[in-house]
Amino acid sequence: MSTSEGTAGNPVGTVSGGAPGASDTIRVVVVDDHPVFRIGMSALLRSLPDVEVVGEAADGDEALAVVAEHAPDVVLMDLDLAGDSGVETTRELCRRDPTLGVLVITMLGDDDSLFASIRAGARGFLLKGASPDEVARAVRSVANGDFLLGPQLAQRGALYLSGARTRGTVPFPELTDREREVVDLVARGYDNATIARRLVLSTKTVRNYVYGVLAKLDVPDRGQLIVRARQAGLGGDEPDDAGR
């Protein structure tokens, strides 16, 4: 990952990828459940000569429909959507179209939100305090095929990606990456509500993941799942009482 100066003078981490022509108009969809932010972001993007806002959405279902209809180059994605997870919406969008550039822009700057977004397929991550110049540069970079993190996040993202590249075999290969994440947190002693907050999911979604894992691993209950997971090396340190 290289670090270059943004137009506002702040460093932003980027990893270059394949690119559409720089002179092409960038088609963008804005996904955010707060109307004031969504309208303001759309207005900012419409002020850029090389950007066309082709749609807006307030939740995950709307986002999937609008993206399917308008085929944008970039989707600006909030993580905390009303009744939906922006991470899961990102995952589904990227599953449907791996070439789509999803740029997360959120108030959630914690490591869990950042890494969950990367795993879901997002190509960029900015905090909502980013300047207009940083937003404009991020949209252009993601449309150009680059991977971009805001200045506060670049080092953390680089360390995560470096670790992911060097990681060896994983426990429970029959599980998906998301299921292993859930099992790891279960093994640490977190309840479903806490796991949901950490992974930016709904509690119902976490409960469904746990049921699915019990069936896949042929484990009778949560207690036995914790034992199996810790034997496999998952779980790490147990949380303090506040995290239970």
Side-chain angles (χ1 to χ4, degrees):
M1 175 174 294
S2 63
T3 302
S4 58
E5 288 295 319
T7 54
N10 291 320
V12 179
T14 62
V15 174
S16 296
S23 62
D24 294 344
T25 298
I26 302 169
R27 295 165 54 81
V28 177
V29 165
V30 179
V31 182
D32 198 291
D33 63 340
H34 291 90
V36 172
F37 182 85
R38 188 174 67 248
I39 292 168
M41 178 58 67
S42 296
L44 167 64
L45 295 173
R46 287 189 176 102
S47 72
L48 303 175
D50 56 343
V51 173
E52 178 187 4
V53 178
V54 296
E56 298 179 7
D59 58 39
D61 288 340
E62 284 186 9
L64 295 176
V66 170
V67 169
E69 179 180 358
H70 295 288
D73 304 301
V74 176
V75 175
L76 266 67
M77 177 67 66
D78 184 26
L79 291 186
D80 191 17
L81 300 174
D84 292 301
S85 164
V87 170
E88 289 304 309
T89 303
T90 295
R91 190 185 310 280
E92 179 60 18
L93 287 173
C94 293
R95 185 192 68 80
R96 294 184 181 188
D97 181 6
T99 68
L100 179 65
V102 177
L103 170 61
V104 169
I105 182 162
T106 179
M107 295 293 293
L108 305 173
D110 59 283
D111 284 354
D112 292 324
S113 299
L114 170 61
F115 300 155
S117 299
I118 294 173
R119 287 189 291 265
R123 283 202 229 141
F125 195 107
L126 285 181
L127 299 181
K128 284 189 175 179
S131 71
D133 283 342
E134 288 173 335
V135 172
R137 181 177 183 273
V139 168
R140 290 169 180 143
S141 294
V142 169
N144 198 45
D146 295 342
F147 180 89
L148 179 143
L149 297 175
Q152 306 96 327
L153 307 166
Q155 183 175 11
R156 286 153 52 194
L159 290 172
Y160 170 77
L161 291 171
S162 176
R165 285 194 297 267
T166 58
R167 189 169 55 232
T169 58
V170 296
F172 306 127
E174 64 268 50
L175 302 182
T176 66
D177 287 344
R178 174 61 89 192
E179 287 170 336
R180 272 190 295 274
E181 289 175 322
V182 171
V183 171
D184 180 68
L185 293 174
V186 168
R188 298 186 189 200
Y190 291 114
D191 60 19
N192 287 354
T194 303
I195 295 172
R197 288 194 300 273
R198 291 177 67 89
L199 297 182
V200 201
L201 298 172
S202 70
T203 303
K204 179 180 178 181
T205 298
V206 172
R207 184 170 65 248
N208 290 339
Y209 274 125
V210 173
Y211 288 152
V213 166
L214 292 176
K216 279 188 177 183
L217 299 182
D218 194 22
V219 177
D221 55 43
R222 196 181 187 100
Q224 289 300 310
L225 176 60
I226 291 174
V227 172
R228 286 276 307 275
R230 290 183 177 173
Q231 288 174 343
L234 297 177
D237 296 330
E238 294 185 24
D240 56 27
D241 291 340
R244 294 184 186 274

